Amino acid sequence: MPEKPAMEGEVYFPSPETIAHANLKDWDETAAFARDNLEGFWEKEAEELEWFQKWDTVLDESQAPFYKWFTGAKVNIAHNAVDRHMKTFRKNKLAIIWEAEDGKSERTFSYYALQREVNRMANIIKSMGITKGDRVTIYMGRIPEIVFAMLACAKIGAIHSVVFGGFSVDALQGRIADSESKLVITSDGSMQNGKLVELKRIVDDSLRHCPTVENVIVVKRTGHDIPMEAMRDHWYHDLCALPVANGKCATEVMDAEDPLFILYTSGSTGKPKAILHTHGGYMVGTYTTLKYVFDLNDEDRFWCTADPGWITGHSYLAYGPLLNGATVFLFEGGPAYPYPNRWWQLIERFGITIFYTAPTAIRALMRFGEAWPNKHDLSSLRLLGTVGEPINPEAWKWFHRVIGKEKCPIMDTWWQTETGAFMITPTPVVPLKPGSGTRPFFGQVAEILDEEGNPVEDGAEGYLVLTRPWPSMLRTIYKDPDRYVKGYWSKYPGKYLTGDSARRDKDGYYWIIGRVDDVIKVSGHRLGTAEIESALITHEAVAESAAIGLPHEVKGQAISCFVQLKPGFAPTEKLSEDLRQHVSKHLGPIARPEEVRFIDKLPKTRSGKIMRRVLKARAQGLPEGDLSTLED
Ligand code: WTA
């Protein structure tokens, strides 16, 4: 037994059982190899997957920051996530286990069945005239068809754009229009805490302003009455009955650098940006990170509670686990419906071994007390994980003790839509500190810089940047390469700006503090102030508004809005509630402000920029700081 290193602060060392079980026992050795031979490390990983044609170059930096990976290679991620497994025993292994929110239906798919479903969906999408490079918007709840749709698009080379089912008309319409999608795949509705969400009707409203959409495929989930527009709307089950749906669909041979998907996310200013990922690099990145960090084995049952509408759902619910040939559990509902033991019941019932969720859910469930999880046998669990926002040590320890029974290491994974895969993360054999994501993943280097670009001292806060390219990095912002360069590579040329602040301790462990831009993380969901403000401005009473994120015990951050009213409108309690409702209806329930406050005049700089810092301080009763740049 090697001696435990002396480390600062509270440290949880891996147990001998964890080390004995782990596929990768020596973190230092692999880290050193990847540090000295970045391309060699990733090349070795890439070789574990199947390529129709091998690459000429692993990493091409000639047009940095437009980095390219595995250039010259031909590949398709869907082939690796599905078809590749037909040659092994995994053909008959469960790929997806799904349970409905109400627990009344359960569906399972072996890898063989998954292949059949993906072929069928791909044949149908193709029959609608979709070809390589076309964009397809997918807007559904957490049902197996959302995964089939993503894989089917990938198979035929179409670029999918999944929009979270918790977004509403304005958000959906903006994303369909920007991507110029020709096809939308949706369902009649979805279930959320026992309530029906009218997905198809939201699609109908959105399509009034989206002329590019020719067809809508509708999966029947809830079975309630919905309008269907002749020629445009098609029930999926009707299409499945057509001869065209049958048989294998040819897999499109893609260049490694061909786009796989775009995913809209919020930036510091302006409209949401379409982050673009590719077939080759994204595949290698998600496959490798999941394999090492969650130590996947064939007997595992992996549950990632994220929604496919966010990057976590793309990388670690759909692609990463399937690339690894794992059994994925997909649950339609949330953590506490109908009772706060819903998740614990499912872990017991399906024998989940690896459970990956968000700090906000842990904090919410913690509040209901230990009696709920203690009703269930959670002994199948061997690894836990969190993502999306910093986890407070109290929640970490509860998760570790009450859910993990002090035997499951917690993988606190830091990453972003843009990074595609884990960037700062432990592996099971790494000593853990509650609240820290530990160290950069193999091959990555993270620095913490001051305003001028100098590294700050250990312990001091600064801008978090990544200094080495990685395969699953975003390639660009779709249709807006300038914004890509400006947003990520201009503050410190040659270094990737994450938008987060962080500090590093004496042991080289990273502690994420939070966003330094106008991104708000509400229950781990990434929202932009600009989107919220543009939803508010469409209300007749609003002259101007500013949204900020304030600390919230369960949600991490909550949205607070300051509104300047138009003349003739009075600041009433009712109007405040109307405005919250307005945002919820237009942008989505996840964006509903916690509070709306009225203000006579928004604090602005002389150049007209809203001083959110001042609003934040004011809302929390904190000192307002330097006001010398204030307009008046
Ligand atoms: C935050 C989610 C602390 C961070 C995968 C980042 C985290 C943003 C963690 C990206 C973590 C994500 N600890 N903060 N483990 N994981 N974040 O694009 O601020 O939805 O910049 O990707 O979430 O959010 P996104």
Side-chain angles (χ1 to χ4, degrees), residues 219-241:
V219 174
K220 189 176 226 158
R221 164 66 191 108
T222 48
H224 70 296
D225 263 349
I226 51 159
M228 294 289 279
E229 195 177 298
M231 308 301 286
R232 190 197 69 182
D233 301 348
H234 320 270
W235 283 109
Y236 183 58
H237 56 264
D238 289 342
L239 297 170
C240 286

mmCIF file with all atom_site columns, all heavy atoms in Angstrom, residues 219-241:
data_model
loop_
_atom_site.group_PDB
_atom_site.id
_atom_site.type_symbol
_atom_site.label_atom_id
_atom_site.label_alt_id
_atom_site.label_comp_id
_atom_site.label_asym_id
_atom_site.label_entity_id
_atom_site.label_seq_id
_atom_site.pdbx_PDB_ins_code
_atom_site.Cartn_x
_atom_site.Cartn_y
_atom_site.Cartn_z
_atom_site.occupancy
_atom_site.B_iso_or_equiv
_atom_site.pdbx_formal_charge
_atom_site.auth_seq_id
_atom_site.auth_comp_id
_atom_site.auth_asym_id
_atom_site.auth_atom_id
_atom_site.pdbx_PDB_model_num
ATOM 1   N N   . VAL A 1 219 ? -43.702 12.086 -32.617 1.00 0.00 ? 219 VAL A N   1
ATOM 2   C CA  . VAL A 1 219 ? -43.735 10.811 -31.901 1.00 0.00 ? 219 VAL A CA  1
ATOM 3   C C   . VAL A 1 219 ? -44.905 10.870 -30.920 1.00 0.00 ? 219 VAL A C   1
ATOM 4   O O   . VAL A 1 219 ? -45.096 11.881 -30.234 1.00 0.00 ? 219 VAL A O   1
ATOM 5   C CB  . VAL A 1 219 ? -42.410 10.598 -31.132 1.00 0.00 ? 219 VAL A CB  1
ATOM 6   C CG1 . VAL A 1 219 ? -42.479 9.346  -30.257 1.00 0.00 ? 219 VAL A CG1 1
ATOM 7   C CG2 . VAL A 1 219 ? -41.236 10.525 -32.102 1.00 0.00 ? 219 VAL A CG2 1
ATOM 8   N N   . LYS A 1 220 ? -45.678 9.798  -30.853 1.00 0.00 ? 220 LYS A N   1
ATOM 9   C CA  . LYS A 1 220 ? -46.807 9.794  -29.933 1.00 0.00 ? 220 LYS A CA  1
ATOM 10  C C   . LYS A 1 220 ? -46.318 9.372  -28.549 1.00 0.00 ? 220 LYS A C   1
ATOM 11  O O   . LYS A 1 220 ? -45.825 8.272  -28.369 1.00 0.00 ? 220 LYS A O   1
ATOM 12  C CB  . LYS A 1 220 ? -47.868 8.821  -30.423 1.00 0.00 ? 220 LYS A CB  1
ATOM 13  C CG  . LYS A 1 220 ? -49.157 8.923  -29.639 1.00 0.00 ? 220 LYS A CG  1
ATOM 14  C CD  . LYS A 1 220 ? -50.208 8.007  -30.246 1.00 0.00 ? 220 LYS A CD  1
ATOM 15  C CE  . LYS A 1 220 ? -51.519 8.744  -30.379 1.00 0.00 ? 220 LYS A CE  1
ATOM 16  N NZ  . LYS A 1 220 ? -52.406 8.181  -31.343 1.00 0.00 ? 220 LYS A NZ  1
ATOM 17  N N   . ARG A 1 221 ? -46.451 10.271 -27.589 1.00 0.00 ? 221 ARG A N   1
ATOM 18  C CA  . ARG A 1 221 ? -46.042 9.928  -26.240 1.00 0.00 ? 221 ARG A CA  1
ATOM 19  C C   . ARG A 1 221 ? -47.221 10.036 -25.262 1.00 0.00 ? 221 ARG A C   1
ATOM 20  O O   . ARG A 1 221 ? -47.518 9.126  -24.521 1.00 0.00 ? 221 ARG A O   1
ATOM 21  C CB  . ARG A 1 221 ? -44.896 10.856 -25.789 1.00 0.00 ? 221 ARG A CB  1
ATOM 22  C CG  . ARG A 1 221 ? -44.637 10.870 -24.313 1.00 0.00 ? 221 ARG A CG  1
ATOM 23  C CD  . ARG A 1 221 ? -44.117 9.513  -23.820 1.00 0.00 ? 221 ARG A CD  1
ATOM 24  N NE  . ARG A 1 221 ? -44.107 9.427  -22.368 1.00 0.00 ? 221 ARG A NE  1
ATOM 25  C CZ  . ARG A 1 221 ? -44.945 8.685  -21.644 1.00 0.00 ? 221 ARG A CZ  1
ATOM 26  N NH1 . ARG A 1 221 ? -45.874 7.960  -22.234 1.00 0.00 ? 221 ARG A NH1 1
ATOM 27  N NH2 . ARG A 1 221 ? -44.856 8.682  -20.324 1.00 0.00 ? 221 ARG A NH2 1
ATOM 28  N N   . THR A 1 222 ? -47.902 11.185 -25.315 1.00 0.00 ? 222 THR A N   1
ATOM 29  C CA  . THR A 1 222 ? -48.958 11.415 -24.327 1.00 0.00 ? 222 THR A CA  1
ATOM 30  C C   . THR A 1 222 ? -50.322 10.993 -24.855 1.00 0.00 ? 222 THR A C   1
ATOM 31  O O   . THR A 1 222 ? -51.212 10.674 -24.075 1.00 0.00 ? 222 THR A O   1
ATOM 32  C CB  . THR A 1 222 ? -48.998 12.903 -23.941 1.00 0.00 ? 222 THR A CB  1
ATOM 33  O OG1 . THR A 1 222 ? -48.971 13.668 -25.146 1.00 0.00 ? 222 THR A OG1 1
ATOM 34  C CG2 . THR A 1 222 ? -47.803 13.268 -23.092 1.00 0.00 ? 222 THR A CG2 1
ATOM 35  N N   . GLY A 1 223 ? -50.501 11.040 -26.180 1.00 0.00 ? 223 GLY A N   1
ATOM 36  C CA  . GLY A 1 223 ? -51.749 10.579 -26.780 1.00 0.00 ? 223 GLY A CA  1
ATOM 37  C C   . GLY A 1 223 ? -52.914 11.542 -26.664 1.00 0.00 ? 223 GLY A C   1
ATOM 38  O O   . GLY A 1 223 ? -54.037 11.174 -26.966 1.00 0.00 ? 223 GLY A O   1
ATOM 39  N N   . HIS A 1 224 ? -52.679 12.763 -26.246 1.00 0.00 ? 224 HIS A N   1
ATOM 40  C CA  . HIS A 1 224 ? -53.788 13.722 -26.184 1.00 0.00 ? 224 HIS A CA  1
ATOM 41  C C   . HIS A 1 224 ? -53.991 14.327 -27.580 1.00 0.00 ? 224 HIS A C   1
ATOM 42  O O   . HIS A 1 224 ? -53.159 14.164 -28.460 1.00 0.00 ? 224 HIS A O   1
ATOM 43  C CB  . HIS A 1 224 ? -53.511 14.802 -25.130 1.00 0.00 ? 224 HIS A CB  1
ATOM 44  C CG  . HIS A 1 224 ? -52.418 15.742 -25.503 1.00 0.00 ? 224 HIS A CG  1
ATOM 45  N ND1 . HIS A 1 224 ? -51.095 15.338 -25.665 1.00 0.00 ? 224 HIS A ND1 1
ATOM 46  C CD2 . HIS A 1 224 ? -52.419 17.070 -25.769 1.00 0.00 ? 224 HIS A CD2 1
ATOM 47  C CE1 . HIS A 1 224 ? -50.365 16.387 -25.994 1.00 0.00 ? 224 HIS A CE1 1
ATOM 48  N NE2 . HIS A 1 224 ? -51.134 17.434 -26.064 1.00 0.00 ? 224 HIS A NE2 1
ATOM 49  N N   . ASP A 1 225 ? -55.117 15.023 -27.743 1.00 0.00 ? 225 ASP A N   1
ATOM 50  C CA  . ASP A 1 225 ? -55.437 15.594 -29.050 1.00 0.00 ? 225 ASP A CA  1
ATOM 51  C C   . ASP A 1 225 ? -54.520 16.747 -29.402 1.00 0.00 ? 225 ASP A C   1
ATOM 52  O O   . ASP A 1 225 ? -54.344 17.664 -28.604 1.00 0.00 ? 225 ASP A O   1
ATOM 53  C CB  . ASP A 1 225 ? -56.880 16.134 -29.024 1.00 0.00 ? 225 ASP A CB  1
ATOM 54  C CG  . ASP A 1 225 ? -57.821 15.115 -29.615 1.00 0.00 ? 225 ASP A CG  1
ATOM 55  O OD1 . ASP A 1 225 ? -57.315 14.133 -30.202 1.00 0.00 ? 225 ASP A OD1 1
ATOM 56  O OD2 . ASP A 1 225 ? -59.055 15.305 -29.486 1.00 0.00 ? 225 ASP A OD2 1
ATOM 57  N N   . ILE A 1 226 ? -53.985 16.706 -30.613 1.00 0.00 ? 226 ILE A N   1
ATOM 58  C CA  . ILE A 1 226 ? -53.179 17.839 -31.078 1.00 0.00 ? 226 ILE A CA  1
ATOM 59  C C   . ILE A 1 226 ? -53.522 18.101 -32.538 1.00 0.00 ? 226 ILE A C   1
ATOM 60  O O   . ILE A 1 226 ? -53.898 17.183 -33.255 1.00 0.00 ? 226 ILE A O   1
ATOM 61  C CB  . ILE A 1 226 ? -51.656 17.568 -30.962 1.00 0.00 ? 226 ILE A CB  1
ATOM 62  C CG1 . ILE A 1 226 ? -51.292 16.231 -31.624 1.00 0.00 ? 226 ILE A CG1 1
ATOM 63  C CG2 . ILE A 1 226 ? -51.184 17.625 -29.531 1.00 0.00 ? 226 ILE A CG2 1
ATOM 64  C CD1 . ILE A 1 226 ? -49.840 16.146 -32.000 1.00 0.00 ? 226 ILE A CD1 1
ATOM 65  N N   . PRO A 1 227 ? -53.389 19.348 -32.963 1.00 0.00 ? 227 PRO A N   1
ATOM 66  C CA  . PRO A 1 227 ? -53.637 19.612 -34.380 1.00 0.00 ? 227 PRO A CA  1
ATOM 67  C C   . PRO A 1 227 ? -52.477 19.076 -35.235 1.00 0.00 ? 227 PRO A C   1
ATOM 68  O O   . PRO A 1 227 ? -51.322 19.164 -34.808 1.00 0.00 ? 227 PRO A O   1
ATOM 69  C CB  . PRO A 1 227 ? -53.699 21.138 -34.455 1.00 0.00 ? 227 PRO A CB  1
ATOM 70  C CG  . PRO A 1 227 ? -53.106 21.654 -33.188 1.00 0.00 ? 227 PRO A CG  1
ATOM 71  C CD  . PRO A 1 227 ? -53.059 20.552 -32.195 1.00 0.00 ? 227 PRO A CD  1
ATOM 72  N N   . MET A 1 228 ? -52.798 18.512 -36.383 1.00 0.00 ? 228 MET A N   1
ATOM 73  C CA  . MET A 1 228 ? -51.755 18.062 -37.309 1.00 0.00 ? 228 MET A CA  1
ATOM 74  C C   . MET A 1 228 ? -51.981 18.794 -38.629 1.00 0.00 ? 228 MET A C   1
ATOM 75  O O   . MET A 1 228 ? -53.087 18.770 -39.170 1.00 0.00 ? 228 MET A O   1
ATOM 76  C CB  . MET A 1 228 ? -51.853 16.547 -37.542 1.00 0.00 ? 228 MET A CB  1
ATOM 77  C CG  . MET A 1 228 ? -51.559 15.681 -36.336 1.00 0.00 ? 228 MET A CG  1
ATOM 78  S SD  . MET A 1 228 ? -49.813 15.650 -35.841 1.00 0.00 ? 228 MET A SD  1
ATOM 79  C CE  . MET A 1 228 ? -49.137 14.463 -37.004 1.00 0.00 ? 228 MET A CE  1
ATOM 80  N N   . GLU A 1 229 ? -50.947 19.438 -39.124 1.00 0.00 ? 229 GLU A N   1
ATOM 81  C CA  . GLU A 1 229 ? -51.106 20.177 -40.363 1.00 0.00 ? 229 GLU A CA  1
ATOM 82  C C   . GLU A 1 229 ? -50.850 19.243 -41.545 1.00 0.00 ? 229 GLU A C   1
ATOM 83  O O   . GLU A 1 229 ? -49.782 18.625 -41.620 1.00 0.00 ? 229 GLU A O   1
ATOM 84  C CB  . GLU A 1 229 ? -50.133 21.356 -40.389 1.00 0.00 ? 229 GLU A CB  1
ATOM 85  C CG  . GLU A 1 229 ? -50.481 22.353 -41.464 1.00 0.00 ? 229 GLU A CG  1
ATOM 86  C CD  . GLU A 1 229 ? -49.549 23.559 -41.444 1.00 0.00 ? 229 GLU A CD  1
ATOM 87  O OE1 . GLU A 1 229 ? -49.528 24.286 -40.426 1.00 0.00 ? 229 GLU A OE1 1
ATOM 88  O OE2 . GLU A 1 229 ? -48.841 23.743 -42.442 1.00 0.00 ? 229 GLU A OE2 1
ATOM 89  N N   . ALA A 1 230 ? -51.828 19.176 -42.442 1.00 0.00 ? 230 ALA A N   1
ATOM 90  C CA  . ALA A 1 230 ? -51.706 18.263 -43.589 1.00 0.00 ? 230 ALA A CA  1
ATOM 91  C C   . ALA A 1 230 ? -50.440 18.579 -44.371 1.00 0.00 ? 230 ALA A C   1
ATOM 92  O O   . ALA A 1 230 ? -50.048 19.732 -44.485 1.00 0.00 ? 230 ALA A O   1
ATOM 93  C CB  . ALA A 1 230 ? -52.931 18.411 -44.484 1.00 0.00 ? 230 ALA A CB  1
ATOM 94  N N   . MET A 1 231 ? -49.810 17.577 -44.894 1.00 0.00 ? 231 MET A N   1
ATOM 95  C CA  . MET A 1 231 ? -48.571 17.649 -45.675 1.00 0.00 ? 231 MET A CA  1
ATOM 96  C C   . MET A 1 231 ? -47.329 17.934 -44.820 1.00 0.00 ? 231 MET A C   1
ATOM 97  O O   . MET A 1 231 ? -46.270 17.423 -45.076 1.00 0.00 ? 231 MET A O   1
ATOM 98  C CB  . MET A 1 231 ? -48.621 18.714 -46.801 1.00 0.00 ? 231 MET A CB  1
ATOM 99  C CG  . MET A 1 231 ? -49.821 18.629 -47.723 1.00 0.00 ? 231 MET A CG  1
ATOM 100 S SD  . MET A 1 231 ? -49.925 17.039 -48.559 1.00 0.00 ? 231 MET A SD  1
ATOM 101 C CE  . MET A 1 231 ? -48.620 17.209 -49.768 1.00 0.00 ? 231 MET A CE  1
ATOM 102 N N   . ARG A 1 232 ? -47.462 18.773 -43.805 1.00 0.00 ? 232 ARG A N   1
ATOM 103 C CA  . ARG A 1 232 ? -46.278 19.130 -43.022 1.00 0.00 ? 232 ARG A CA  1
ATOM 104 C C   . ARG A 1 232 ? -46.034 18.172 -41.852 1.00 0.00 ? 232 ARG A C   1
ATOM 105 O O   . ARG A 1 232 ? -44.894 17.773 -41.590 1.00 0.00 ? 232 ARG A O   1
ATOM 106 C CB  . ARG A 1 232 ? -46.423 20.555 -42.484 1.00 0.00 ? 232 ARG A CB  1
ATOM 107 C CG  . ARG A 1 232 ? -45.148 21.113 -41.860 1.00 0.00 ? 232 ARG A CG  1
ATOM 108 C CD  . ARG A 1 232 ? -45.413 22.338 -40.986 1.00 0.00 ? 232 ARG A CD  1
ATOM 109 N NE  . ARG A 1 232 ? -46.148 21.994 -39.769 1.00 0.00 ? 232 ARG A NE  1
ATOM 110 C CZ  . ARG A 1 232 ? -46.544 22.887 -38.855 1.00 0.00 ? 232 ARG A CZ  1
ATOM 111 N NH1 . ARG A 1 232 ? -46.290 24.164 -39.032 1.00 0.00 ? 232 ARG A NH1 1
ATOM 112 N NH2 . ARG A 1 232 ? -47.191 22.505 -37.777 1.00 0.00 ? 232 ARG A NH2 1
ATOM 113 N N   . ASP A 1 233 ? -47.082 17.826 -41.130 1.00 0.00 ? 233 ASP A N   1
ATOM 114 C CA  . ASP A 1 233 ? -46.922 17.038 -39.900 1.00 0.00 ? 233 ASP A CA  1
ATOM 115 C C   . ASP A 1 233 ? -47.199 15.558 -40.144 1.00 0.00 ? 233 ASP A C   1
ATOM 116 O O   . ASP A 1 233 ? -48.195 15.201 -40.794 1.00 0.00 ? 233 ASP A O   1
ATOM 117 C CB  . ASP A 1 233 ? -47.887 17.544 -38.824 1.00 0.00 ? 233 ASP A CB  1
ATOM 118 C CG  . ASP A 1 233 ? -47.663 19.017 -38.491 1.00 0.00 ? 233 ASP A CG  1
ATOM 119 O OD1 . ASP A 1 233 ? -46.629 19.565 -38.915 1.00 0.00 ? 233 ASP A OD1 1
ATOM 120 O OD2 . ASP A 1 233 ? -48.529 19.604 -37.808 1.00 0.00 ? 233 ASP A OD2 1
ATOM 121 N N   . HIS A 1 234 ? -46.373 14.693 -39.591 1.00 0.00 ? 234 HIS A N   1
ATOM 122 C CA  . HIS A 1 234 ? -46.520 13.248 -39.799 1.00 0.00 ? 234 HIS A CA  1
ATOM 123 C C   . HIS A 1 234 ? -46.341 12.520 -38.479 1.00 0.00 ? 234 HIS A C   1
ATOM 124 O O   . HIS A 1 234 ? -45.364 12.762 -37.772 1.00 0.00 ? 234 HIS A O   1
ATOM 125 C CB  . HIS A 1 234 ? -45.457 12.733 -40.781 1.00 0.00 ? 234 HIS A CB  1
ATOM 126 C CG  . HIS A 1 234 ? -45.204 13.646 -41.935 1.00 0.00 ? 234 HIS A CG  1
ATOM 127 N ND1 . HIS A 1 234 ? -45.903 13.558 -43.120 1.00 0.00 ? 234 HIS A ND1 1
ATOM 128 C CD2 . HIS A 1 234 ? -44.338 14.689 -42.088 1.00 0.00 ? 234 HIS A CD2 1
ATOM 129 C CE1 . HIS A 1 234 ? -45.469 14.504 -43.952 1.00 0.00 ? 234 HIS A CE1 1
ATOM 130 N NE2 . HIS A 1 234 ? -44.525 15.203 -43.349 1.00 0.00 ? 234 HIS A NE2 1
ATOM 131 N N   . TRP A 1 235 ? -47.262 11.616 -38.190 1.00 0.00 ? 235 TRP A N   1
ATOM 132 C CA  . TRP A 1 235 ? -47.065 10.774 -37.011 1.00 0.00 ? 235 TRP A CA  1
ATOM 133 C C   . TRP A 1 235 ? -45.928 9.801  -37.274 1.00 0.00 ? 235 TRP A C   1
ATOM 134 O O   . TRP A 1 235 ? -45.882 9.139  -38.312 1.00 0.00 ? 235 TRP A O   1
ATOM 135 C CB  . TRP A 1 235 ? -48.341 9.988  -36.689 1.00 0.00 ? 235 TRP A CB  1
ATOM 136 C CG  . TRP A 1 235 ? -49.398 10.812 -36.025 1.00 0.00 ? 235 TRP A CG  1
ATOM 137 C CD1 . TRP A 1 235 ? -50.569 11.231 -36.580 1.00 0.00 ? 235 TRP A CD1 1
ATOM 138 C CD2 . TRP A 1 235 ? -49.375 11.308 -34.669 1.00 0.00 ? 235 TRP A CD2 1
ATOM 139 N NE1 . TRP A 1 235 ? -51.283 11.969 -35.661 1.00 0.00 ? 235 TRP A NE1 1
ATOM 140 C CE2 . TRP A 1 235 ? -50.574 12.031 -34.480 1.00 0.00 ? 235 TRP A CE2 1
ATOM 141 C CE3 . TRP A 1 235 ? -48.460 11.223 -33.610 1.00 0.00 ? 235 TRP A CE3 1
ATOM 142 C CZ2 . TRP A 1 235 ? -50.892 12.655 -33.269 1.00 0.00 ? 235 TRP A CZ2 1
ATOM 143 C CZ3 . TRP A 1 235 ? -48.774 11.838 -32.414 1.00 0.00 ? 235 TRP A CZ3 1
ATOM 144 C CH2 . TRP A 1 235 ? -49.968 12.551 -32.247 1.00 0.00 ? 235 TRP A CH2 1
ATOM 145 N N   . TYR A 1 236 ? -45.054 9.663  -36.316 1.00 0.00 ? 236 TYR A N   1
ATOM 146 C CA  . TYR A 1 236 ? -43.912 8.764  -36.488 1.00 0.00 ? 236 TYR A CA  1
ATOM 147 C C   . TYR A 1 236 ? -44.367 7.317  -36.687 1.00 0.00 ? 236 TYR A C   1
ATOM 148 O O   . TYR A 1 236 ? -43.845 6.604  -37.537 1.00 0.00 ? 236 TYR A O   1
ATOM 149 C CB  . TYR A 1 236 ? -42.979 8.884  -35.272 1.00 0.00 ? 236 TYR A CB  1
ATOM 150 C CG  . TYR A 1 236 ? -41.735 8.053  -35.407 1.00 0.00 ? 236 TYR A CG  1
ATOM 151 C CD1 . TYR A 1 236 ? -40.874 8.237  -36.490 1.00 0.00 ? 236 TYR A CD1 1
ATOM 152 C CD2 . TYR A 1 236 ? -41.401 7.080  -34.468 1.00 0.00 ? 236 TYR A CD2 1
ATOM 153 C CE1 . TYR A 1 236 ? -39.723 7.470  -36.641 1.00 0.00 ? 236 TYR A CE1 1
ATOM 154 C CE2 . TYR A 1 236 ? -40.259 6.314  -34.607 1.00 0.00 ? 236 TYR A CE2 1
ATOM 155 C CZ  . TYR A 1 236 ? -39.427 6.516  -35.686 1.00 0.00 ? 236 TYR A CZ  1
ATOM 156 O OH  . TYR A 1 236 ? -38.299 5.750  -35.834 1.00 0.00 ? 236 TYR A OH  1
ATOM 157 N N   . HIS A 1 237 ? -45.387 6.892  -35.931 1.00 0.00 ? 237 HIS A N   1
ATOM 158 C CA  . HIS A 1 237 ? -45.811 5.493  -36.063 1.00 0.00 ? 237 HIS A CA  1
ATOM 159 C C   . HIS A 1 237 ? -46.419 5.211  -37.432 1.00 0.00 ? 237 HIS A C   1
ATOM 160 O O   . HIS A 1 237 ? -46.323 4.105  -37.937 1.00 0.00 ? 237 HIS A O   1
ATOM 161 C CB  . HIS A 1 237 ? -46.750 5.080  -34.921 1.00 0.00 ? 237 HIS A CB  1
ATOM 162 C CG  . HIS A 1 237 ? -47.965 5.941  -34.794 1.00 0.00 ? 237 HIS A CG  1
ATOM 163 N ND1 . HIS A 1 237 ? -48.034 6.989  -33.914 1.00 0.00 ? 237 HIS A ND1 1
ATOM 164 C CD2 . HIS A 1 237 ? -49.137 5.925  -35.453 1.00 0.00 ? 237 HIS A CD2 1
ATOM 165 C CE1 . HIS A 1 237 ? -49.218 7.582  -34.019 1.00 0.00 ? 237 HIS A CE1 1
ATOM 166 N NE2 . HIS A 1 237 ? -49.903 6.945  -34.951 1.00 0.00 ? 237 HIS A NE2 1
ATOM 167 N N   . ASP A 1 238 ? -47.027 6.220  -38.057 1.00 0.00 ? 238 ASP A N   1
ATOM 168 C CA  . ASP A 1 238 ? -47.523 6.021  -39.429 1.00 0.00 ? 238 ASP A CA  1
ATOM 169 C C   . ASP A 1 238 ? -46.356 5.860  -40.398 1.00 0.00 ? 238 ASP A C   1
ATOM 170 O O   . ASP A 1 238 ? -46.384 5.017  -41.286 1.00 0.00 ? 238 ASP A O   1
ATOM 171 C CB  . ASP A 1 238 ? -48.380 7.216  -39.876 1.00 0.00 ? 238 ASP A CB  1
ATOM 172 C CG  . ASP A 1 238 ? -49.728 7.254  -39.160 1.00 0.00 ? 238 ASP A CG  1
ATOM 173 O OD1 . ASP A 1 238 ? -50.123 6.202  -38.609 1.00 0.00 ? 238 ASP A OD1 1
ATOM 174 O OD2 . ASP A 1 238 ? -50.369 8.326  -39.146 1.00 0.00 ? 238 ASP A OD2 1
ATOM 175 N N   . LEU A 1 239 ? -45.347 6.684  -40.194 1.00 0.00 ? 239 LEU A N   1
ATOM 176 C CA  . LEU A 1 239 ? -44.179 6.608  -41.087 1.00 0.00 ? 239 LEU A CA  1
ATOM 177 C C   . LEU A 1 239 ? -43.478 5.254  -40.939 1.00 0.00 ? 239 LEU A C   1
ATOM 178 O O   . LEU A 1 239 ? -42.997 4.685  -41.905 1.00 0.00 ? 239 LEU A O   1
ATOM 179 C CB  . LEU A 1 239 ? -43.194 7.741  -40.763 1.00 0.00 ? 239 LEU A CB  1
ATOM 180 C CG  . LEU A 1 239 ? -43.715 9.160  -40.971 1.00 0.00 ? 239 LEU A CG  1
ATOM 181 C CD1 . LEU A 1 239 ? -42.744 10.183 -40.388 1.00 0.00 ? 239 LEU A CD1 1
ATOM 182 C CD2 . LEU A 1 239 ? -43.945 9.440  -42.462 1.00 0.00 ? 239 LEU A CD2 1
ATOM 183 N N   . CYS A 1 240 ? -43.447 4.741  -39.701 1.00 0.00 ? 240 CYS A N   1
ATOM 184 C CA  . CYS A 1 240 ? -42.780 3.463  -39.448 1.00 0.00 ? 240 CYS A CA  1
ATOM 185 C C   . CYS A 1 240 ? -43.457 2.321  -40.207 1.00 0.00 ? 240 CYS A C   1
ATOM 186 O O   . CYS A 1 240 ? -42.830 1.307  -40.500 1.00 0.00 ? 240 CYS A O   1
ATOM 187 C CB  . CYS A 1 240 ? -42.783 3.130  -37.951 1.00 0.00 ? 240 CYS A CB  1
ATOM 188 S SG  . CYS A 1 240 ? -41.624 4.135  -37.029 1.00 0.00 ? 240 CYS A SG  1
ATOM 189 N N   . ALA A 1 241 ? -44.735 2.496  -40.497 1.00 0.00 ? 241 ALA A N   1
ATOM 190 C CA  . ALA A 1 241 ? -45.470 1.434  -41.181 1.00 0.00 ? 241 ALA A CA  1
ATOM 191 C C   . ALA A 1 241 ? -45.215 1.446  -42.692 1.00 0.00 ? 241 ALA A C   1
ATOM 192 O O   . ALA A 1 241 ? -45.597 0.518  -43.394 1.00 0.00 ? 241 ALA A O   1
ATOM 193 C CB  . ALA A 1 241 ? -46.962 1.588  -40.900 1.00 0.00 ? 241 ALA A CB  1
#
